[in-house]
C-alpha cells in the first residue's frame, strides 16, 4: 500500500511540474494589435468604421470593422479600386492581422497611414 501511495504521489508531482513548465512557456496574448509579430510592419487605420474584408473588393464579406486601430500588415496587392470623395482613390489593399496567428483580413490602403502603396509592406 505504501508503494502505491508513493507511486501516486510521484506521478502527481511529475504532472504538476509538467503543467507548470507548460504554463511558464506559454505566451500571453498581446495587449494591443501593434504588439503582434515583430517581423511584420505595423499599420494604422486612421479613419473610423473601416471594413476589414475577406478579399480585395467591396463585395466580399466584412470580417470586422475597426476605427483608429493598429494592425500587423502581412503583404499588399492590387484589387478593386475604392473611391472616397473625402479621401481619394486607391486600388492597393493590405492583408492584415490583429495579432500574430490571427485570421487574415483585407483593408484598402486608402484608410491606412502610409499612402497609396505602403513602404515596408511586401507585395503578395
Amino acid at each position: 500500500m505504501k508503494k502505491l501511495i508513493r507511486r501516486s504521489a510521484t506521478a502527481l508531482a511529475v504532472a504538476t511540474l509538467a503543467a507548470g513548465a507548460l504554463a511558464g512557456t506559454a505566451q500571453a496574448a498581446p495587449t494591443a494589435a501593434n504588439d503582434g509579430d515583430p517581423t511584420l510592419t505595423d499599420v494604422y487605420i486612421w479613419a473610423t468604421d473601416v471594413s476589414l474584408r475577406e478579399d480585395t473588393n467591396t463585395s466580399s464579406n466584412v470580417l470586422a470593422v475597426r476605427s483608429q486601430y493598429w494592425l500587423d500588415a502581412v503583404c499588399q496587392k492590387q484589387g478593386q479600386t475604392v473611391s472616397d470623395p473625402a479621401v481619394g482613390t486607391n486600388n492597393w489593399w493590405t492583408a492584415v492581422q490583429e495579432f500574430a496567428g490571427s485570421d487574415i483580413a483585407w483593408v484598402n490602403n486608402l484608410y491606412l497611414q502610409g499612402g497609396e502603396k505602403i513602404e515596408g509592406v511586401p507585395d503578395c
Side-chain angles (χ1 to χ4, degrees), residues 6-29:
R6 193 174 327 137
R7 284 184 187 163
S8 296
T10 301
L12 181 60
V14 168
T16 302
L17 287 173
L22 290 175
T25 60
Q27 293 181 354

Side-chain angles (χ1 to χ4, degrees), residues 15-104:
T16 302
L17 287 173
L22 290 175
T25 60
Q27 293 181 354
T31 56
N34 63 343
D35 288 341
D37 189 335
T39 64
L40 300 176
T41 301
D42 293 338
V43 291
Y44 183 70
I45 296 176
W46 60 267
T48 57
D49 300 323
V50 175
S51 296
L52 279 63
R53 298 189 174 272
E54 195 170 58
D55 204 354
T56 59
N57 59 69
T58 57
S59 60
S60 66
N61 292 331
V62 174
L63 302 175
V65 176
R66 297 290 180 258
S67 299
Q68 301 170 341
Y69 197 79
W70 286 99
L71 296 162
D72 288 332
V74 177
C75 63
Q76 59 188 334
K77 70 178 183 177
Q78 292 179 311
Q80 178 188 7
T81 298
V82 173
S83 296
D84 184 327
V87 183
T89 301
N90 197 342
N91 71 339
W92 281 93
W93 293 72
T94 298
V96 294
Q97 295 177 305
E98 291 203 59
F99 53 88
S102 68
D103 291 338
I104 298 290

